[in-house]
Amino acid sequence: MNKKWFAIFFMILVTAFFITILSTVHEISKDRIQEKEQIQFYRSISYASRIFPEDIKEENLPASSTTADIDWNEENLLEIFQNRIRFVRLPIVSSTKQLLETRGSFTSDSADIFIVLNENGEREGYGFPLRGKGLWGTIRAIAVVSSDLTRMVGIDFTEQSETPGLGARIMESGFKYHFRGLDLSGFLGEHPEEKPIEMVARKETSNLAYSTNRVEAITGATQTCLGILKMLNTDLPFYLDVIQENERLIKTID
Amino acid sequence: MKSKAIDIIKEDLWKNNPVTVQILGICSTLAVTNIFLNTLLMGLGLTFVMAFSALTISLLRYVIPQRVRMMVQVLVISSFVIIVDLSLKTTVSHISRALGPYVGLIITNCIIMGRLEAFASSNKPGIAFLDGIMSGIGYSWILLVIAFFRELLGFGTVVGIQVMDPLMQTIGVTEGWTSWAFMIMAPGGFFMLALFIWVSNSMAMGHRNMEN
């Protein structure tokens, strides 16, 4: 056989062989991966909602730890999830829709959020997904805000492809802890002179101790931090508007 | 055969180590070594990919056309990396998530391509497989030493367990350990790697002088 044609034939054969192997491995592992991803999703929601296993205190977690390091019993996690999290689909009213259309980001007639309940079944906060751009790719997160919409309860990043050791450190508790208690009044027009959320180089006290609109950035990950800032300042007001506009509907769910 | 195997072990682990002597795989060395556990998994993943890619390329060495050999090598490497990725997602999904793009980065690790081209494509399967394992271990142990010190100084922890705070409090420093942020960042990786290369090459040179 001609050398050129043999090379092409060989390449096709090897590619087909490895595609078959990979497809088989993928098919075998698909269900298990989905199941694991679902558990990861529950973990993220719990972290953002500041729900931890009974014997774990967030303050004692190392700054480098991630959501995955929290030692959850899967049964307990599922139980908490069933008792304290309620998913709802809220309609987007015409004024918000118009605003989205002008920004070119209108995609749907409704927004999916979840309601976080406390142990007594009372509304404690609202959670929703956020999406933005980092330095290398999409960053996805789950954010939870207090029921009066003035403070952030927490945030967890569910997807990122930032530089390991630099931007990828957004996954660490040390960074995410600054979002606990973050003042969101800038979005509600209470302090129009201030930027809604700001990133600063150094922040001595946590927002839980003294609530401000500031988050400590990661040194060496400026673009990632700016991406997160943009994501928050763009997506948060949208969800806050949708929740405010649907307050009556949410109360009926209670 | 036995002496060749011993030579390979010595070469890959020390004399011709892929990181300290051949200066290969530096990108991931700098990127992943700020957390010990991530480094360990990266090392295990790379060793698996390295060993089985070397075995496959060695088995196919007489039939791979010269003009497409690099394409075949990349195809083989990527396939094993995907298998590692899927296995991690199925078994330890939380660690897979924490690793993020680390696993995918194995494809771009030039140690693998380098060893396939330089060794596996011209040696028998058994010895190529051994070379793959040893190159992987040779890469991993250097990274683990660097990661140990970077995590210890940067976070005060060893495998996520806080050790420096209690140590500092024992010697009377009540504020505990002040983390060296520099160590966690890329410059800290450069610094540690350069230090390691300097020390290991000086030792190797001293050893050679003694032999002479």
Side-chain angles (χ1 to χ4, degrees), chain B residues 100-118:
Chain B
Y102 290 39
V103 179
L105 275 173
I106 296 174
I107 298 173
T108 63
N109 196 310
C110 33
I111 294 173
I112 308 180
M113 197 76 172
R115 290 316 290 169
L116 295 188
E117 185 68 2

Side-chain angles (χ1 to χ4, degrees), chain B:
Chain B
M1 176 74 182
K2 195 181 171 187
S3 67
K4 194 174 181 184
I6 291 168
D7 282 348
I8 285 171
I9 295 170
K10 279 184 189 168
E11 289 279 320
D12 289 340
L13 292 186
W14 182 249
K15 282 185 181 172
N16 199 18
N17 185 283
V19 180
T20 57
V21 181
Q22 299 176 55
I23 320 290
L24 294 174
I26 297 301
C27 315
S28 54
T29 306
L30 298 172
V32 305
T33 52
N34 57 355
I35 296 172
F36 190 86
L37 191 62
N38 290 352
T39 312
L40 179 67
L41 278 158
M42 180 76 175
L44 287 174
L46 183 123
T47 306
F48 172 84
V49 173
M50 179 83 239
F52 284 94
S53 300
L55 180 67
T56 312
I57 293 299
S58 177
L59 285 168
L60 295 172
R61 68 190 187 284
Y62 294 124
V63 283
I64 299 175
Q66 273 299 301
R67 63 174 71 188
V68 294
R69 71 183 192 287
M70 287 208 169
M71 284 165 72
V72 175
Q73 286 167 6
V74 172
L75 182 74
V76 171
I77 297 167
S78 334
S79 302
F80 283 113
V81 169
I82 294 170
I83 290 172
V84 168
D85 194 29
L86 289 174
S87 310
L88 286 176
K89 279 182 178 159
T90 319
T91 51
V92 279
S93 68
H94 57 291
I95 295 178
S96 162
R97 192 180 175 211
L99 283 169
Y102 290 39
V103 179
L105 275 173
I106 296 174
I107 298 173
T108 63
N109 196 310
C110 33
I111 294 173
I112 308 180
M113 197 76 172
R115 290 316 290 169
L116 295 188
E117 185 68 2
F119 194 88
S121 57
S122 54
N123 280 281
K124 287 181 180 172
I127 209 81
F129 186 68
L130 179 72
D131 179 68
I133 292 178
M134 285 305 144
S135 293
I137 295 174
Y139 163 86
S140 304
W141 84 263
I142 304 282
L143 260 68
L144 286 170
V145 173
I146 295 174
F148 175 83
F149 286 107
R150 284 185 76 189
E151 186 181 325
L152 184 73
L153 300 172
F155 297 112
T157 58
V158 173
V159 203
I161 301 161
Q162 185 57 247
V163 290
M164 291 303 270
D165 271 347
L167 188 73
M168 296 307 279
Q169 277 152 10
T170 314
I171 59 169
V173 182
T174 48
E175 313 89 74
W177 173 251
T178 306
S179 297
W180 296 16
F182 169 76
M183 272 296 159
I184 305 158
M185 296 189 294
F190 271 111
F191 179 77
M192 281 302 296
L193 179 66
L195 201 66
F196 196 96
I197 291 174
W198 174 44
V199 172
S200 63
N201 286 351
S202 301
M203 282 169 70
M205 208 180 283
H207 190 69
R208 273 201 299 273
N209 288 342
M210 273 174 70
E211 278 179 353
N212 291 336

